[in-house]
Amino acid sequence: GLRERPVALVAVAYLYFQGRSRWKQSIAKGLEAVRRSLPHASLQVFCGRVPKPLPAVARWIFGVPRDSPLDLVDAAAVTAWAQEWVKTVPRV
């Protein structure tokens, strides 16, 4: 099963990086719940993007500043992480 295999848990979450701390904590709590079932898994959270500006009420609820960029994705960071993670996987 997955408990014995190399596993990477990857999450993409705009609010993890732009929202109020309670949203980051909620996302982290969910990820840790999954990770408990896979204790040897590598866990990584990357920035995400939203397709258009959030409505004012959503910005207020989530704590996203009005001038926040829509796209926080760092493709170079994703690629670098993936290249390093692959090095940790035993060859079969």
Side-chain angles (χ1 to χ4, degrees):
L2 290 179
R3 292 181 68 86
E4 295 81 32
R5 296 178 190 259
V7 175
L9 301 174
V10 178
V12 178
Y14 185 84
L15 292 179
Y16 190 81
F17 295 93
Q18 280 299 96
R20 296 186 197 282
S21 62
R22 81 171 105 169
W23 297 109
K24 183 175 181 171
Q25 291 168 354
S26 179
I27 293 166
K29 184 178 177 181
L31 292 172
E32 282 305 313
V34 173
R35 186 180 182 142
R36 278 193 298 276
S37 65
L38 299 167
H40 300 291
S42 174
L43 175 62
Q44 182 65 42
V45 181
F46 292 108
C47 299
R49 74 178 113 209
V50 292
K52 60 184 179 179
L54 297 173
V57 71
R59 284 195 319 270
W60 178 77
I61 290 169
F62 296 123
V64 175
R66 182 182 196 137
D67 61 347
S68 292
L70 300 179
D71 189 345
L72 300 173
V73 175
D74 182 347
V78 174
T79 299
W81 175 84
Q83 289 172 340
E84 288 303 311
W85 184 79
V86 168
K87 292 176 187 176
T88 69
V89 178
R91 300 268 175 185
V92 181

